[in-house]
């Protein structure tokens, strides 16, 4: 990749090279600007890699091969040319994520079935079992105010802190983020936290980016550990239980599809009870479901509930 990289660097302006150095050294800790490169392959280079694939392969994913494995993040302005200029495109390696796909084959756990089952006992006497339905404090007035989703943070079966309404098109959910704003989990107090919860919270770090995009909602894993996601639209309509998707660091996935959700009022899953068809559940660092030892998300130490408002 050395000749291709040198050929690309020669085409970048000095300020773009400086920005690229800052982005690579910070490992994408802040939402930086676009690094614009001329469209087309560097002349005389056998690899013939597009600029964005070249830099992502050089600085983030050595096993990357094709541009269709990548997705622009929602805050990138140079995905398909800037201001109508199709001669340049963004090649900032931290303006991209890789697309997550289901694990094949799954881990060896086969404890779950479609038959009746019950969640584990609460981890602490003061905890309460959560309801899978949206919180009643989410009124229709929030929809009129432009709130497209509300976030609830849980530790096992206890909701911690208040609901967080999201009005912007995207939101960061994190414990540690040098620059930026959003839903900071580190600021939420709790009366009791077990060692398992504290360990899991230590792995959240930069957390994730949730974005509302045409047709659905995307989740980008900004942390250094996997996140695990489930929603009604990630599972086939006739599934006996929700599928759980593992999203590795640096990867993103479309976690909710508005068209697939349709106008269904609710689902009832054997062993889990009713499920709101307009909700997403995300566990930090710990998986659950038929492929894992934890069968229910309420057995996960730190997780996020995304309550979506139906588009009008």
């Amino acid at each position: 990749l050395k000749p291709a990289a040198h050929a690309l660097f020669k085409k970048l302006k000095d300020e773009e090279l400086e920005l690229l150095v800052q982005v690579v050294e910070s490992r994408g800790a802040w939402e930086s600007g676009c690094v614009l490169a001329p469209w087309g392959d560097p002349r005389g280079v056998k690899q013939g890699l597009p600029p964005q694939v070249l830099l992502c392969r050089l600085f983030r994913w050595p096993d990357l091969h094709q541009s269709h494995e990548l997705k622009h993040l929602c805050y990138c302005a140079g995905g398909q040319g800037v201001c109508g200029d199709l001669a340049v495109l963004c090649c900032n390696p931290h303006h991209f994520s890789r697309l997550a796909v289901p694990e094949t084959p799954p881990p060896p756990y086969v404890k779950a079935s479609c038959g009746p089952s019950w969640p584990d006992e609460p981890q602490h006497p003061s905890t309460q079992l959560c309801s899978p339905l949206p919180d009643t404090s989410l009124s229709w007035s929030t929809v009129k105010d432009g709130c497209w989703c509300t976030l609830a943070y849980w530790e096992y079966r206890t909701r911690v802190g208040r609901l967080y309404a999201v009005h912007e098109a995207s939101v960061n959910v994190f414990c540690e983020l040098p620059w930026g704003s959003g839903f900071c989990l580190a600021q939420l107090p709790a009366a009791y936290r077990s060692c398992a919860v504290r360990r899991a919270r230590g792995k959240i770090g930069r957390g994730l980016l949730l974005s509302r995009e045409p047709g659905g909602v995307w989740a980008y894993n900004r942390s250094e550990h996997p996140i695990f996601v489930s929603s009604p639209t990630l599972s086939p309509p006739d599934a006996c239980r929700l599928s759980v998707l593992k999203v590795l660091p640096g990867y993103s996935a479309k976690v909710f599809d508005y068209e697939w959700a349709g106008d269904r009022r609710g689902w009832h899953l054997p062993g889990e009870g009713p499920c709101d068809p307009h909700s997403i559940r995300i566990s930090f660092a710990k998986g659950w479901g038929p492929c894992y030892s934890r069968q229910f998300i309420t057995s996960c130490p730190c997780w996020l509930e995304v309550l979506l408002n139906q588009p009008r």
Side-chain angles (χ1 to χ4, degrees):
L1 299 179
K2 187 175 181 179
H6 284 177
L8 175 60
F9 294 156
K10 290 179 180 179
K11 294 186 177 183
L12 298 180
K13 298 178 181 179
D14 290 344
E15 55 269 22
E16 290 170 340
L17 285 172
E18 293 176 1
L19 175 59
L20 180 60
V21 170
Q22 295 174 6
V23 168
V24 171
E25 289 181 345
S26 68
R27 295 166 60 193
W30 48 284
E31 294 183 5
S32 55
C34 292
V35 178
L36 300 179
W39 178 265
D41 301 328
R43 295 181 180 179
V45 178
K46 295 181 179 179
Q47 287 88 346
L49 295 175
Q52 71 276 24
V53 176
L54 174 62
L55 294 189
C56 286
R57 184 172 175 181
L58 187 64
F59 296 116
R60 298 193 68 184
W61 304 292
D63 61 338
L64 181 68
H65 295 290
Q66 303 294 333
S67 59
H68 62 75
E69 302 175 49
L70 297 172
K71 178 188 179 299
H72 278 93
L73 297 179
C74 58
Y75 52 78
C76 178
Q80 301 297 330
V82 181
C83 298
D85 186 1
L86 299 179
V88 295
L89 80 164
C90 177
C91 59
N92 184 334
H94 287 279
H95 276 199
F96 293 87
S97 65
R98 295 188 74 171
L99 294 173
V101 295
E103 290 182 300
T104 306
Y109 297 103
V110 198
K111 295 182 180 180
S113 67
C114 295
S117 59
W118 298 96
D120 301 332
E121 292 298 319
Q123 299 292 327
H124 189 265
S126 63
T127 60
Q128 297 179 349
L129 179 64
C130 72
S131 169
L133 297 177
D135 193 288
T136 54
S137 60
L138 177 60
S139 65
W140 284 106
S141 62
T142 58
V143 179
K144 297 178 181 179
D145 294 339
C147 170
W148 65 273
C149 79
T150 304
L151 307 179
Y153 170 65
W154 296 81
E155 293 176 355
Y156 289 116
R157 303 158 190 264
T158 302
R159 200 183 78 191
V160 179
R162 302 181 63 182
L163 295 175
Y164 183 91
V166 180
H167 299 270
E168 302 294 332
S170 63
V171 60
N172 287 306
V173 183
F174 58 93
C175 266
E176 301 173 4
L177 193 63
W179 299 281
S181 61
F183 189 23
C184 181
L185 304 180
Q187 296 179 350
L188 300 180
Y192 169 83
R193 281 199 173 104
S194 65
C195 293
V197 171
R198 290 196 294 267
R199 286 196 300 268
R201 283 172 62 88
K203 297 179 180 179
I204 295 176
R206 298 173 186 170
L208 60 95
L209 173 69
L210 278 175
S211 61
R212 181 187 60 179
E213 303 183 24
V217 178
W218 285 78
Y220 168 53
N221 185 0
R222 303 189 65 188
S223 74
E224 297 182 355
H225 298 271
I227 60 174
F228 298 83
V229 186
S230 78
S231 81
T233 66
L234 286 175
S235 305
D238 57 348
C240 65
R241 63 185 303 131
L242 293 181
S243 300
V244 179
L245 177 65
K246 181 179 181 180
V247 183
L248 295 173
Y251 281 66
S252 66
K254 188 176 184 180
V255 295
F256 191 86
D257 190 306
Y258 287 113
E259 183 178 355
W260 284 20
D263 58 354
R264 286 171 287 193
R265 296 296 177 183
W267 289 357
H268 190 281
L269 300 177
E272 295 188 13
C275 176
D276 178 15
H278 292 88
S279 66
I280 306 166
R281 294 176 173 186
I282 304 173
S283 174
F284 297 99
K286 302 296 182 181
W288 84 97
C291 297
Y292 298 90
S293 58
R294 299 171 181 83
Q295 296 304 297
F296 301 92
I297 195 170
T298 50
S299 300
C300 295
C302 302
W303 56 283
L304 186 72
E305 189 174 25
V306 184
L307 307 173
L308 300 171
N309 292 325
Q310 300 183 35
R312 292 173 294 177

